[in-house]
Amino acid sequence: MPVNNRIAETQTEIARWRQHLHARPEILYDVFETANFLAGKLRAFGCDEVVTGIGQTGVVALVHGRGGAGGPMIGLRADMDALPIVEETGLEYASRTPGAMHACGHDGHMAMLLGATRSLCETRAFDGTVAVIFQPAEEGGAGGKAMLDDGLFRRFPIAKVYGMHNLPGMPVGQFGMRHGATMASTDEFAITIEGRGGHAALPHRTIDPILIGAALVQALQAIAARNADPLQSVVVSVTQFHAGFAHNIIPDTAAVSGTVRALDKDLRDFAEQRIHEIARGICAAHGATAAIAYDRNYPITVNDPAEADFCADVAREIVGADKVETNAEPMMAGEDFSYMLEEKPGAYVFIGNGDSASLHNPTYDFADEAIAFGASYWQRLAERALDRL
């Protein structure tokens, strides 16, 4: 398999970078030590420009090709932040930060992009410029949007942008991608039911928000089960129900909240509409009122079909055609790389992490043997993407 020889020879060193980052996880935008480590490596590699502090703590480095500055520019993005999880791996390089862990493989994503960047600095076998983007706060903080709001694409004229995420269950040395929607939108809702409390022995004198909340939880399941096209994907999950404070008192209020995931913009809009209609209708039928807060969070991650095909071609060069799935199943998890893909054409692909624990699990670990495949993919994609512009 034509993995880049230089990257393969230094995989152990790149893995040590990954393990260094794994042991020092940081949360959301507070990735100061991580950003300093990355910026130091990027400067040592000989990047032509290293800029820190974009989107609070994001890092961008430029590598010019054989002709120097000028020409087209493409972006390669990796995420930096960890999760508020207590690690249970028992590894030698396990987290040293209490209550924080790289349980989603962002340490591996950074290491693969670092390895590719060093090789690109050494070879410069392309015309134009590669912008390597290290983004904070992917895990719920919308760091991708923060970098855009801070002028990422205004300051750096990136024509196309690409992302990659590891996938447990997919064998190491394999890649997956698809046309169109590949990860879901991630909206959140919170419904406060305003009833009338009273003595639990006299329920007829109350408007019981707990009874209403129970009916509401069941009714919300009809959105996916009976309102949505069975061939489309939407998830409505109630994840919190808070009410009451004593065994003999019916409370005045109850709070129900959860998340909505969709792979289609119209279905996303429809689910939001139905939540409002169902909540108000159920409450009205019981003589209560509903206060509804709905937060439209990360957008749907949508791959440009031509760019997904291009990424598949690059992956085939690295691992062979039989190791590339071009119709990978979409995921109902969210990804804030979606903000970048809303502004620029590009694609988001998956790389196999083998038989590991699932993402966001306290026993998860990134597979170091995937590094050579991922870093080689990044280097070859950069070279070929600039040739297309």
Side-chain angles (χ1 to χ4, degrees), residues 175-179 308-309 312-313 316 321 324-329:
F175 288 85
M177 65 287 296
R178 64 180 290 109
H179 291 184
D309 287 343
D313 284 342
R316 290 186 191 104
V324 179
E325 172 56 65
T326 58
N327 192 30
E329 290 189 2

Side-chain angles (χ1 to χ4, degrees), residues 196-209:
R196 183 173 66 241
H199 200 295
L202 302 169
H204 58 292
R205 296 181 181 176
T206 73
I207 298 174
D208 187 349

Side-chain angles (χ1 to χ4, degrees), residues 45-66:
F45 297 161
C47 290
D48 297 284
E49 186 175 353
V50 178
V51 181
T52 60
I54 300 178
Q56 298 187 40
T57 45
V59 179
V60 176
L62 302 183
V63 182
H64 300 316
R66 58 175 73 89

Side-chain angles (χ1 to χ4, degrees), residues 64-79:
H64 300 316
R66 58 175 73 89
M73 182 183 296
I74 59 102
L76 312 178
R77 173 268 199 181
D79 32 22

Side-chain angles (χ1 to χ4, degrees), residues 1-8 173 175 313-323 372-380 383:
M1 294 179 289
V3 167
N4 180 282
N5 287 335
R6 165 66 168 154
I7 290 171
F175 288 85
D313 284 342
V314 173
R316 290 186 191 104
E317 284 193 40
I318 306 303
V319 298
D322 62 329
K323 301 295 180 60
F373 299 107
S376 297
Y377 166 84
W378 275 140
Q379 172 160 5
R380 189 63 183 134
E383 294 168 348

Side-chain angles (χ1 to χ4, degrees), residues 283-323:
C283 286
H286 289 81
T289 59
I292 305 165
Y294 197 96
D295 179 23
R296 293 174 73 91
N297 207 323
Y298 293 178
I300 302 164
T301 304
V302 181
N303 284 344
D304 180 280
E307 296 306 319
D309 287 343
F310 165 65
C311 290
D313 284 342
V314 173
R316 290 186 191 104
E317 284 193 40
I318 306 303
V319 298
D322 62 329
K323 301 295 180 60

Side-chain angles (χ1 to χ4, degrees), residues 187-193 210 212-224 234-243 254-261 275 278-279 294:
D187 297 343
E188 299 171 357
F189 63 89
I191 304 166
T192 301
I193 302 162
I210 296 177
I212 298 166
L216 177 57
V217 171
Q218 287 190 310
L220 290 175
Q221 304 313 304
I223 297 173
V234 63
V235 171
V236 180
S237 291
V238 174
T239 56
Q240 297 183 72
F241 191 141
H242 301 288
V256 174
S257 59
T259 185
V260 178
R261 309 297 174 100
I275 285 174
I278 291 169
Y294 197 96

